Amino acid sequence: MSKPALQPIQLSDAEIRAVYGQGEEAVVTLVKTLLSQIEALSEQVNQLSVRVETLEGQAQKNSRNSSKPPSGDGFAKKPPKSLREKSGKPSGGQIDHPGSTLEWREQVDAVERHCVGSCLGCGASLSEVAATEVLSRQVFDIPPLSLKVTEHQAEIKDCPHCGSQTLASFPASVSNRVQYGPRLKGMLVYLLEAQLLPSGRTCEVLNDLLGVQVSEGTLYNSLAQCHGQLEAIEETIQAQVARSPVVHFDETGLRIKGQLWWLHVACTSGLTYYFVHPKRGQLAMQAMDILPDYGGKAVHDGWKSYGAYLCEHFLCNAHHLRELQFVLEHHAQTWAYQMSLLLVTILAQVNRAKAAGKLALEAEQCQAFEARYAEIIEQGIAANPLPEPMPDAPKKRGRPQHPPPLNL
């Protein structure tokens, strides 16, 4: 609860003269009272200024300059702005790009012959005349979509020797008298999960394209079946990620049945493991069961819960670049641009060294980068000095509040 605003002392000319008439001590007491109130008002103004700056900063944060997800940008969001430097090449296809045009096929699925029936000159019949040349064109298209219904029949036979009755086995996927097949189920799972269609629109697409009237209950039953069949694959991905020398971790909020849950991600250059939990912090990380026993390098955004684990920790420069973008936009501090440029330059040099088969940068390069890094940090600190405390101001408990650029 905020403190009530201080009301300044208001004195009329007559009241001031009355104090003056009371002598020197009365004037000194009045001046001290006024100075004390001025100091309190100044402190209140500083606090309000910090609060206004903080609220303005929060209002100007979006997915480009902070860790906010794109869904939080709202309807007034600006077009995406890449943090990459321009390559200098013209837009569109490049000269050395192989392209992806349709290629002529020697083997085709069907041939339609278009015959000449009569002469365009005199009208004589040419149906019995051999063609002197045939021109060909190929059309790539999909066949008419329709539902194919396959009836599986299992024989029952009585043995003439012993009289035993034997029933043939249905395929493992054919378990009900009437059911949908795996390809149709795979399509509806793909539309729901890969293309993120709502369940109602998924039913509409299947009805429009295939004439199949699928209920939403069938959609979710198929999803549950797919989830069960992928359990072994999910466990394999989790185990391989946990054994990787470098793993990137992150978490982002999402709504599940109207409640705020958290999507936790652990990924390598080739694998991604997702885990959903109602909590964001250490309770969820324990349940995810990768970090508790992980011994490699964990890259993340510095969320405090990661610090509870004994692996090596590295801060994510993708997050840094977005936060530096915010400092540049909101606080207009050029050191943030210089740091962004340095981080992108280091990445480019590392990628170039990898392409050349090197395992590390040259020592001179590292020293130059470290010196430039320290120089930019000094510029950032100099651009964000802490306010000098008032000489007679009472000491406050805890650390003084730093502006966001200084925290970064």
Side-chain angles (χ1 to χ4, degrees):
M1 189 172 181
S2 59
K3 296 180 180 179
L6 292 174
Q7 298 296 325
I9 297 176
Q10 297 181 353
L11 297 174
S12 65
D13 291 350
E15 289 172 328
I16 295 175
R17 289 190 176 91
V19 172
Y20 180 77
Q22 294 175 12
E24 183 179 343
E25 287 300 323
V27 173
V28 170
T29 301
L30 176 61
V31 171
K32 285 185 176 180
T33 302
L34 293 175
L35 288 175
S36 176
Q37 189 176 61
I38 290 173
E39 182 180 333
L41 286 171
S42 176
E43 176 67 20
Q44 193 172 68
V45 168
N46 291 335
Q47 292 177 359
L48 291 174
S49 298
V50 171
R51 185 177 180 186
V52 168
E53 183 177 2
T54 301
L55 292 175
E56 287 180 345
Q58 291 175 354
Q60 294 186 15
K61 285 188 176 181
N62 52 51
S63 60
R64 296 182 302 107
N65 57 26
S66 70
S67 298
K68 287 182 63 176
S71 59
D73 290 346
F75 293 108
K77 60 185 176 184
K78 297 179 180 179
K81 181 179 179 182
S82 176
L83 294 173
R84 298 177 181 175
E85 294 294 316
K86 292 185 176 180
S87 64
K89 297 180 180 179
S91 60
Q94 304 302 311
I95 296 176
D96 56 347
H97 191 272
S100 57
T101 58
L102 285 176
E103 299 289 342
W104 184 270
R105 284 191 182 181
E106 297 299 329
Q107 300 293 330
V108 297
D109 300 303
V111 175
E112 290 188 16
R113 191 69 173 259
H114 304 284
C115 300
V116 176
S118 59
C119 176
L120 292 178
C122 64
S125 174
L126 300 178
S127 58
E128 301 298 329
V129 179
T132 56
E133 186 180 0
V134 176
L135 302 179
S136 298
R137 297 177 181 179
Q138 291 184 347
V139 176
F140 290 69
D141 204 350
I142 58 176
L145 296 177
S146 61
L147 199 63
K148 178 183 177 182
V149 180
T150 301
E151 182 176 316
H152 293 264
Q153 298 178 346
E155 293 182 339
I156 301 176
K157 292 185 177 180
D158 295 325
C159 178
H161 302 288
C162 67
S164 298
Q165 193 175 69
T166 302
L167 170 64
S169 300
F170 285 100
S173 60
V174 182
S175 56
N176 296 316
R177 189 169 185 271
V178 179
Q179 66 180 70
Y180 291 116
R183 291 188 181 88
L184 182 63
K185 290 181 179 179
M187 177 183 287
L188 63 88
V189 170
Y190 170 78
L191 293 175
L192 281 171
E193 297 300 312
Q195 297 303 322
L196 304 177
L197 286 184
S199 55
R201 289 184 61 188
T202 300
C203 294
E204 184 179 338
V205 168
L206 294 174
N207 187 32
D208 291 345
L209 296 183
L210 301 174
V212 181
Q213 295 184 350
V214 178
S215 68
E216 293 189 44
T218 299
L219 296 184
Y220 292 111
N221 287 337
S222 300
L223 278 180
Q225 183 181 0
C226 178
H227 176 265
Q229 293 176 351
L230 290 174
E231 183 177 358
I233 297 176
E234 182 182 357
E235 291 175 352
T236 300
I237 293 174
Q238 180 190 26
Q240 291 188 15
V241 168
R243 291 195 297 267
S244 299
V246 179
V247 180
H248 294 252
F249 295 90
D250 203 0
E251 70 289 329
T252 186
L254 79 165
R255 292 283 172 181
I256 296 181
K257 295 183 178 180
Q259 301 295 320
L260 176 62
W261 281 48
W262 294 89
L263 175 64
H264 295 257
V265 180
C267 63
T268 67
S269 58
L271 295 171
T272 301
Y273 180 74
Y274 295 104
F275 184 76
V276 179
H277 197 275
K279 299 296 183 180
R280 181 186 182 187
Q282 195 172 347
L283 188 64
M285 295 173 184
Q286 289 291 123
M288 192 178 184
D289 200 24
I290 291 180
L291 277 169
D293 299 318
Y294 183 62
K297 297 176 172 62
V299 184
H300 49 77
D301 60 358
W303 173 240
K304 58 184 179 181
S305 296
Y306 291 113
Y309 300 98
L310 300 179
C311 55
E312 292 186 79
H313 295 275
F314 297 82
L315 295 179
C316 173
N317 278 333
H319 286 84
H320 286 154
L321 287 173
R322 291 197 291 268
E323 294 178 25
L324 288 166
Q325 183 72 20
F326 172 76
V327 172
L328 181 62
E329 292 176 353
H330 183 64
H331 298 276
Q333 296 185 8
T334 56
W335 71 269
Y337 173 76
Q338 298 296 330
M339 181 61 79
S340 297
L341 186 61
L342 176 63
L343 293 178
V344 173
T345 301
I346 294 173
L347 176 62
Q349 292 296 327
V350 168
N351 290 337
R352 191 174 290 116
K354 286 182 179 179
K358 298 180 179 179
L359 299 178
L361 297 178
E362 301 293 338
E364 294 79 7
Q365 277 184 304
C366 291
Q367 292 172 3
F369 284 144
E370 289 173 358
R372 179 61 178 149
Y373 184 91
E375 179 184 345
I376 297 173
I377 290 295
E378 290 299 325
Q379 293 175 11
I381 294 174
N384 296 277
L386 291 176
E388 292 293 333
M390 300 291 289
D392 297 329
K395 292 185 178 180
K396 294 184 178 180
R397 298 177 60 185
R399 295 172 54 188
Q401 188 174 8
H402 291 178
L406 189 58
N407 289 333
L408 177 59

